[in-house]
Amino acid sequence: MTRFRLLLVPLGAAALVAAGCGGTRTTAPVATHDVSMAKSYRFDPDVVQIKAGESVTWTNNDNFTHTVRVDGQADHRVGRGQSVTIRFPKAGTYDYVCTLHSHDMHGQVIVS
Ligand SMILES: [Cu+2]
């Protein structure tokens, strides 16, 4: 019984940390074509809204290399001070992620 309890405590702490990270996300989409990879390990804003045929540019303003991968497509490596522009020809909701820091860095492009 004592042993069982010891196992439960660390698991509970980990779950709390994970919930805290997810809760800090921006939820309302922002109408913009520019996403900053801001210090530290953030997409700002993380949820953006554009029209079909338009592009989004991600610019790395952090001190670390990040990536942008949209819906399992090509993974774009973006070093410090660099940027990547991706065009969205079709309407839909596209999830994107930094594959190096997927726990903290993810967002959506909503194309109308
Ligand atoms: Cu990253």
Side-chain angles (χ1 to χ4, degrees):
M1 190 62 195
T2 308
R3 188 176 177 153
F4 184 60
R5 204 172 264 167
L6 281 173
L7 275 172
L8 273 183
V9 171
L11 280 177
L16 272 180
V17 169
C21 283
T24 58
R25 287 191 64 178
T26 306
T27 48
V30 178
T32 181
H33 302 94
D34 296 296
V35 175
S36 171
M37 290 142 140
K39 297 180 176 89
S40 294
Y41 307 104
R42 285 194 304 120
F43 287 119
D44 183 28
D46 54 356
V47 181
V48 298
Q49 189 158 25
I50 62 168
K51 294 195 173 96
E54 295 180 342
S55 302
V56 176
T57 298
W58 284 263
T59 302
N60 188 348
N61 298 307
D62 201 356
N63 295 322
F64 312 96
T65 295
H66 296 297
T67 78
V68 177
R69 185 174 198 174
V70 178
D71 267 353
Q73 295 170 21
D75 196 11
H76 301 275
R77 203 173 174 86
V78 188
R80 290 171 57 181
Q82 296 183 329
S83 63
V84 63
T85 299
I86 298 174
R87 189 168 170 269
F88 294 81
K90 289 184 184 172
T93 299
Y94 300 85
D95 291 322
Y96 69 87
V97 64
C98 166
T99 55
L100 300 175
H101 316 105
S102 59
H103 184 74
D104 295 312
M105 299 183 68
H106 46 87
Q108 278 182 339
V109 179
I110 299 167
V111 184
S112 57

